[in-house]
Amino acid sequence: MAESVELPTRLGILPFRNKVLLPGAIIRIRCTSPSSVKLVEQELWQCEEKGLIGILPVRDAADAATVDPVVSQGVGTDSGERSSRVQVGASDSHRLDGKNQQEVIHWHSRGVAARALHLSRGVEKPSGRVTYVVVLEGLCRFNVQELSTRGTYYTARISPLEMTKTEMEQVEQDPDFISLSRQFKATATELISVLEQKQKTGGRTKVLLETVPVHKLADIFVASFEISFEEQLSMLDSVDLKVRLSKATELVDRHLQSIHVAEKITQKVEGQLSKSQKEFLLRQQMRAIKEELGDNDDDEDDVVALERKMQSSGMPSNIWKHAQRELRRLKKMQPQQPGYNSSRVYLDLLADLPWQKASEEYELDLRAAKERLDSDHYGLTKVKQRIIEYLAVRKLKPDARGPVLCFVGPPGVGKTSLASSIAAALGRKFIRISLGGVKDEADIRGHRRTYIGSMPGRLIDGLKRVAVCNPVMLLDEIDKTGSDVRGDPASALLEVLDPEQNKTFNDHYLNVPFDLSKVIFVATANRVQPIPPPLLDRMEVIELPGYTPEEKLKIAMHHLIPRVLDQHGLNSEFLRIPEAMVKLVIQGYTREAGVRNLERNLAALSRAAAVRVAEQEQAVSLSKDVHSLASPLLENRLADGAEVEMEVIPMGVNNHEISSTFKIASPLTVDEDMLEKVLGPPKFDDKEAAERVATPGVSVGLVWTAFGGEVQFVEATAMGGKGELHLTGQLGDVIKESAQIALTWVRARARDLNLSTTEASNLLEGRDVHIHFPAGAVPKDGPSAGVTLVTALVSLFSQRRVRADTAMTGEMTLRGLVLPVGGVKDKVLAAHRCGIKRVILPERNLKDLTEVPSAVLSGLEIILAKRMEDVLEQAFEGGCPWRQHSKL
């Protein structure tokens, strides 16, 4: 801190434009103008440590400076002394260096004497101009009495304004001064404490409070504040110490309040900034740093490409607005943020979905479509006719909302291939979605994006894969959906298959409506019963029953054998399967509604033939000009008298050419020996029914399963006991109740059936009855075994055998009425496959026989029964055992 100094009567003046230097303040300036350089050189540089100059505030109209932001351009000419006395606010006109314009300067009447703490000289290149950098310290105030020029700079005759030591002691005893001093120090101390907490500084400032006089502290504190020029001049003019302390206290308190307000605002803003916002700010800074380092990646280019892809996707306007919001959010995120990848994948899905893109349908040719169906599928006349009707409607009205076709039938009857044929006839893309075992509703509607690993549903994902909005979509195994705590997929399909709702299908992941009305839905199922009624109501059920043996034969000869041979690299020149052998395979090795097992058996024959062809050894006997070829296969055929073609092959022919040249005149033909060797002994025999019913108590029933119709044997036997009924064979509640009804009816009609001698006698007295349904590992249930159970019990109690060529089905009441049952066509076909000649049906099922092929009906005797007595009359040889006494 500067001590008291004696001021000379005249000082060189350095004008400060719009800036005030107060006593105790330190400032660094750079002098470049000729006048200021001349002043510093003569008053400071040459005088060294004793040099003093006066800093005088000035204000001009132009308010221009060329020295630096703090120091104004020096002003002056060799015009000599211009005025003998300067008044406060007076103005002088002087010509600028090198310029012809006049500049009006307002000189202040009071200034501050300053000394140089540091002085350095420099030379600018290439001009050679001398410049000075000066660090000045304000010392004390003075009053300007007269202003004149000395060469290029100004000088002034001054008078000091500082108090003497005696005057200072008197002022320090003034109570007002003491009060103002305490108030100033308290405010200054509070300001220093705030700054120390905020900037971790303030040690030197506290020392100043204890060592520097309070009137000098006022100038030092105010000099460190950013205040207006007018307030700086007011502080400079405050010669009276009490006025100076009062103004300084006011300015310090104002600065303190501004700091408090700024802290409150900062705390409020920081409180509002969440963690993600802070991360965003930091990542923005990181991005700027990477740009400066040239370490940018291609994420920005990827986002731009994604935006172009979205623009060309043809989204509706409402979807496009939603996508733009997501894209703006993505642009504000960094790739390292947790939600970046999920947002990117979501936008990719929006861009990939076929919002407007559709398959170009060529004009429908019903004749060609019918030929295509006939070539792909044999039989199924009714089903193919319904498909042709569907296509005809589409041809007349392309935008018609046709029904959802649901093909119901056992496995292997061509349900999936029918849907593929529809897509081919319409010229549309085909996609298959398997619903078997689906228990989560999210598989249909998708997962919400709030979950980790969320994804769209199978429908939206399938449309993304086919890339068109109008494919033929097959919902396969729609009857095998389940339900648990995760939802019910069948209920979610209600919206999908409803033409009035699927226009705005809302996938949970997509979260925007998608139009499914252009999609042609086709469903498949093995059974109708598991499908919920509301879902079944939205579909048109088309049943595909099993094939007859004749149809299987045609399918095998025209479709299966050529496909199997091609799959195994064979052709008709290597393997031939006669029709008689195919019939043996159908009758003895496959009893199914479809043709899958038949195809597997044909594939086994093809594999056996492929092994023999691949293992044949070609022996080449070398002679001068001719090569004779032979193999074990040929030797076997020569033994049978077959002819072998001999070809002359030039020397040097490679093995591949030899094998391609090799020809067999008579290909391998499948016979019964080969069937038994490859497929094993026959699995089914037409004599099975006769052998099973050779003893009383056994009857033949017909049941329906998911795999088509089947023959079901029912066995009953009696033994000593307490009159109880035992049931085995994994039976359901319904079939157990049918067995109880059958036993009750037989006991009630025992006298009429001559099963007992008196009405009071009890058939079950002293014995139990056990009824078993063979194939105990297969669950069984349903009411259609009622007549079969009664027939088995009557056979047991009368000890008469049931006819082996007769099978039956029907539900019975407690009064003996025979009620109609379902699955008649499949049951009749099953009887035909098993060699049954006579079938007993409820009379009310007569209408269902129209669906049975005429070739099957011609080989069967259909017997219609209205009451249980009619069934018994036809089930036994010689009629019902009326008037026959029981042997039990």
Side-chain angles (χ1 to χ4, degrees):
M1 175 56 60
E3 300 177 355
S4 299
V5 294
E6 293 186 2
L7 297 180
T9 58
R10 184 172 290 277
L11 284 176
I13 299 300
L14 181 63
F16 268 24
R17 294 196 175 181
N18 302 324
K19 181 69 178 177
V20 176
L21 178 65
L22 292 175
I26 297 174
I27 192 171
R28 179 180 178 273
I29 64 173
R30 183 170 180 266
C31 301
T32 59
S33 65
S35 58
S36 59
V37 168
K38 191 69 173 177
L39 170 67
V40 172
E41 189 173 305
Q42 293 188 2
E43 301 293 337
L44 297 178
W45 183 265
Q46 295 178 3
C47 297
E48 297 181 353
E49 297 180 358
K50 298 181 180 180
L52 296 175
I53 61 174
I55 305 298
L56 195 62
V58 297
R59 188 186 321 179
D60 53 33
D63 196 20
T66 58
V67 178
D68 59 55
V70 177
V71 181
S72 62
Q73 179 180 351
V75 181
T77 62
D78 288 334
S79 58
E81 297 184 3
R82 300 198 40 163
S83 62
S84 59
R85 194 168 296 277
V86 177
Q87 303 290 333
V88 176
S91 63
D92 260 332
S93 297
H94 300 279
R95 186 164 54 86
L96 292 174
D97 298 337
K99 296 184 180 180
N100 295 326
Q101 67 183 47
Q102 296 295 320
E103 182 180 29
V104 179
I105 301 177
H106 299 274
W107 296 89
H108 196 65
S109 61
R110 289 173 181 169
V112 175
R115 67 179 178 182
L117 297 179
H118 176 77
L119 184 63
S120 61
R121 182 177 180 179
V123 179
E124 291 184 353
K125 294 181 180 182
S127 63
R129 185 175 61 172
V130 177
T131 60
Y132 286 94
V133 176
V134 188
V135 179
L136 295 174
E137 179 188 13
L139 299 178
C140 57
R141 292 174 175 82
F142 63 81
N143 190 40
V144 178
Q145 296 179 344
E146 183 182 9
L147 187 65
S148 60
T149 58
R150 180 183 298 169
T152 59
Y153 63 91
Y154 286 94
T155 62
R157 187 163 56 86
I158 64 170
S159 59
L161 295 177
E162 297 295 327
M163 293 183 179
T164 63
K165 185 175 182 181
T166 304
E167 293 174 342
M168 190 65 202
E169 289 177 355
Q170 292 178 356
V171 172
E172 288 178 351
Q173 300 300 323
D174 189 348
D176 294 338
F177 179 80
I178 295 174
S179 177
L180 288 171
S181 298
R182 290 175 179 173
Q183 184 180 0
F184 174 78
K185 283 191 175 183
T187 308
T189 302
E190 184 179 358
L191 175 63
I192 292 172
S193 300
V194 172
L195 294 176
E196 186 176 11
Q197 293 177 1
K198 186 177 180 181
Q199 303 176 358
K200 306 302 180 182
T201 58
R204 293 181 57 190
T205 312
K206 286 184 178 180
V207 175
L208 290 177
L209 286 175
E210 298 172 357
T211 58
V212 179
V214 65
H215 65 283
K216 292 185 178 180
L217 279 177
D219 289 331
I220 294 174
F221 269 80
V222 173
S224 64
F225 301 154
E226 293 183 2
I227 57 178
S228 66
F229 182 56
E230 298 297 334
E231 290 175 329
Q232 292 176 9
L233 291 178
S234 176
M235 192 66 186
L236 178 63
D237 292 337
S238 300
V239 179
D240 186 87
L241 295 185
K242 291 188 289 185
V243 175
R244 187 186 306 171
L245 283 177
S246 178
K247 290 183 178 180
T249 303
E250 180 183 353
L251 292 173
V252 171
D253 184 68
R254 189 176 73 183
H255 188 69
L256 182 62
Q257 296 301 323
S258 65
I259 292 177
H260 287 320
V261 172
E263 286 181 348
K264 289 181 180 179
I265 295 175
T266 301
Q267 291 175 359
K268 185 176 181 180
V269 172
E270 288 180 352
Q272 292 175 350
L273 284 177
S274 63
K275 181 180 178 181
S276 60
Q277 290 173 317
K278 291 180 180 179
E279 289 181 355
F280 170 73
L281 294 175
L282 293 175
R283 294 188 189 281
Q284 289 294 105
Q285 295 176 2
M286 187 184 299
R287 177 180 291 182
I289 293 172
K290 286 184 177 181
E291 289 178 355
E292 291 295 329
L293 295 175
D295 193 19
N296 268 336
D297 50 21
D298 297 332
D299 289 332
E300 194 71 25
D301 297 336
D302 293 342
V303 173
V304 173
L306 177 60
E307 185 173 8
R308 288 197 300 266
K309 185 178 178 182
M310 292 168 57
Q311 291 173 350
S312 60
S313 63
M315 299 181 190
S317 58
N318 58 330
I319 311 298
W320 173 244
K321 291 179 182 178
H322 173 78
Q324 280 184 316
R325 287 195 299 268
E326 288 290 332
L327 184 62
R328 285 194 296 267
R329 179 171 172 267
L330 180 68
K331 290 180 178 179
K332 295 177 183 178
M333 299 170 67
Q334 289 291 326
Q336 296 82 8
Q337 284 186 257
Y340 181 87
N341 287 332
S342 61
S343 295
R344 177 62 186 273
V345 172
Y346 175 70
L347 289 175
D348 277 330
L349 174 65
L350 287 179
D352 290 337
L353 283 178
W355 300 95
Q356 303 293 337
K357 184 179 179 182
S359 299
E360 295 183 3
E361 297 186 18
Y362 45 80
E363 184 178 358
L364 278 175
D365 187 351
L366 295 182
R367 186 183 300 275
K370 188 174 182 180
E371 292 176 355
R372 175 67 181 267
L373 289 173
D374 290 337
S375 63
D376 292 344
H377 306 85
Y378 182 84
L380 304 177
T381 305
K382 183 179 178 181
V383 177
K384 289 189 287 189
Q385 181 61 31
R386 180 62 186 89
I387 294 175
I388 292 298
E389 293 172 358
Y390 178 81
L391 297 178
V393 175
R394 300 287 304 185
K395 180 178 181 180
L396 298 178
K397 190 175 182 181
D399 58 344
R401 295 179 182 176
V404 177
L405 302 180
C406 179
F407 298 130
V408 177
V413 295
K415 299 184 297 294
T416 303
S417 57
L418 278 173
S420 178
S421 298
I422 294 176
L426 291 172
R428 295 192 181 189
K429 291 187 177 181
F430 176 73
I431 180 172
R432 174 182 171 270
I433 297 177
S434 178
L435 300 179
V438 173
K439 295 184 178 180
D440 193 352
E441 179 188 355
D443 283 336
I444 306 299
R445 293 187 179 274
H447 302 81
R448 299 190 185 277
R449 292 176 59 202
T450 53
Y451 298 110
I452 297 176
S454 58
M455 63 182 70
R458 298 192 182 190
L459 301 177
I460 296 297
D461 184 65
L463 290 173
K464 174 187 173 183
R465 285 187 279 120
V466 296
V468 291
C469 63
N470 62 340
V472 174
M473 184 174 291
L474 174 65
L475 304 178
D476 206 6
E477 309 293 349
I478 198 172
D479 59 327
K480 295 178 179 57
T481 59
S483 62
D484 56 12
V485 294
R486 294 171 292 180
D488 184 7
S491 299
L493 285 172
L494 294 176
E495 180 185 3
V496 176
L497 300 182
D498 192 339
E500 299 298 329
Q501 299 183 36
N502 60 15
K503 293 183 294 184
T504 56
F505 173 70
N506 192 1
D507 185 274
H508 288 163
Y509 181 85
L510 202 60
N511 202 27
V512 291
F514 191 89
D515 187 6
L516 295 179
S517 61
K518 300 178 182 178
V519 180
I520 296 179
F521 291 101
V522 179
T524 66
N526 295 130
R527 301 169 57 198
V528 176
Q529 288 77 11
I531 304 176
L535 182 59
L536 190 63
D537 182 62
R538 284 164 167 78
M539 300 183 294
E540 179 182 344
V541 176
I542 300 177
E543 294 186 357
L544 280 73
Y547 296 111
T548 65
E550 291 76 13
E551 289 175 338
K552 288 184 179 180
L553 179 61
K554 296 293 183 181
I555 293 172
M557 300 306 298
H558 293 89
H559 298 279
L560 299 183
I561 292 178
R563 183 168 65 192
V564 167
L565 292 178
D566 181 68
Q567 290 174 352
H568 293 81
L570 302 174
N571 53 43
S572 58
E573 297 179 355
F574 292 96
L575 177 65
R576 288 183 182 177
I577 306 178
E579 287 190 11
M581 296 300 103
V582 177
K583 287 182 179 180
L584 287 179
V585 173
I586 294 172
Q587 295 173 359
Y589 296 91
T590 63
R591 280 188 179 177
E592 56 172 347
V595 291
R596 286 183 179 170
N597 283 333
L598 176 59
E599 185 175 4
R600 294 189 186 101
N601 289 324
L602 294 176
L605 296 174
S606 299
R607 288 194 298 271
V611 170
R612 297 184 65 177
V613 172
E615 288 182 348
Q616 64 184 1
E617 297 178 359
Q618 300 178 6
V620 181
S621 301
L622 296 179
S623 63
K624 186 173 182 179
D625 297 318
V626 179
H627 305 276
S628 60
L629 303 179
S631 69
L633 180 62
L634 291 182
E635 293 175 359
N636 294 337
R637 291 303 173 187
L638 286 175
D640 297 335
E643 297 180 357
V644 179
E645 296 179 1
M646 305 298 296
E647 294 186 2
V648 178
I649 303 178
M651 294 297 294
V653 176
N654 56 33
N655 292 334
H656 176 71
E657 292 175 346
I658 293 176
S659 61
S660 62
T661 308
F662 182 70
K663 302 288 184 181
I664 300 178
S666 71
L668 178 62
T669 302
V670 176
D671 52 17
E672 294 186 16
D673 294 337
M674 184 176 179
L675 280 182
E676 189 168 351
K677 182 178 180 181
V678 176
L679 303 180
K683 301 176 182 179
F684 305 102
D685 188 359
D686 291 342
K687 300 178 181 180
E688 180 183 7
E691 295 174 354
R692 297 284 289 271
V693 299
T695 58
V698 181
S699 61
V700 184
L702 296 174
V703 296
W704 184 91
T705 69
F707 302 96
E710 294 290 344
V711 170
Q712 174 68 57
F713 293 93
V714 177
E715 300 175 351
T717 187
M719 57 196 168
K722 300 179 181 180
E724 297 178 352
L725 174 64
H726 303 278
L727 300 171
T728 56
Q730 272 206 67
L731 307 181
D733 293 335
V734 177
I735 202 168
K736 289 180 180 179
E737 293 175 354
S738 298
Q740 189 65 52
I741 292 172
L743 181 59
T744 301
W745 187 87
V746 171
R747 292 177 62 188
R749 303 297 301 273
R751 177 61 179 168
D752 297 335
L753 296 174
N754 290 332
L755 301 179
S756 63
T757 56
T758 62
E759 294 184 1
S761 62
N762 185 3
L763 286 177
L764 299 181
E765 185 176 356
R767 58 183 175 183
D768 293 344
V769 175
H770 188 164
I771 299 177
H772 176 64
F773 287 74
V778 180
K780 308 169 189 69
D781 201 3
S784 63
V787 297
T788 312
L789 286 165
V790 172
T791 304
L793 290 173
V794 172
S795 173
L796 172 67
F797 292 133
S798 66
Q799 285 296 297
R800 296 187 60 186
R801 293 194 301 268
V802 179
R803 294 185 58 164
D805 60 348
T806 303
M808 62 198 72
T809 182
E811 179 182 0
M812 67 162 293
T813 68
L814 203 56
R815 298 296 181 182
L817 292 176
V818 179
L819 301 182
V821 293
V824 172
K825 181 178 180 180
D826 292 309
K827 294 176 180 179
V828 172
L829 291 177
H832 182 67
R833 286 196 302 271
C834 295
I836 301 294
K837 303 301 181 181
R838 303 168 76 241
V839 176
I840 301 175
L841 297 175
E843 188 179 51
R844 292 169 60 182
N845 281 121
L846 177 62
K847 60 182 183 301
D848 297 320
L849 294 177
T850 57
E851 300 179 1
V852 181
S854 57
V856 175
L857 291 177
S858 62
L860 291 174
E861 180 184 354
I862 304 298
I863 302 169
L864 301 178
K866 186 176 182 180
R867 297 186 58 82
M868 193 62 225
E869 290 83 354
D870 301 333
V871 176
L872 297 177
E873 187 70 23
Q874 300 294 333
F876 292 92
E877 193 74 41
C880 182
W882 307 108
R883 297 176 301 279
Q884 296 292 333
H885 294 284
S886 174
K887 297 180 181 180
L888 294 180

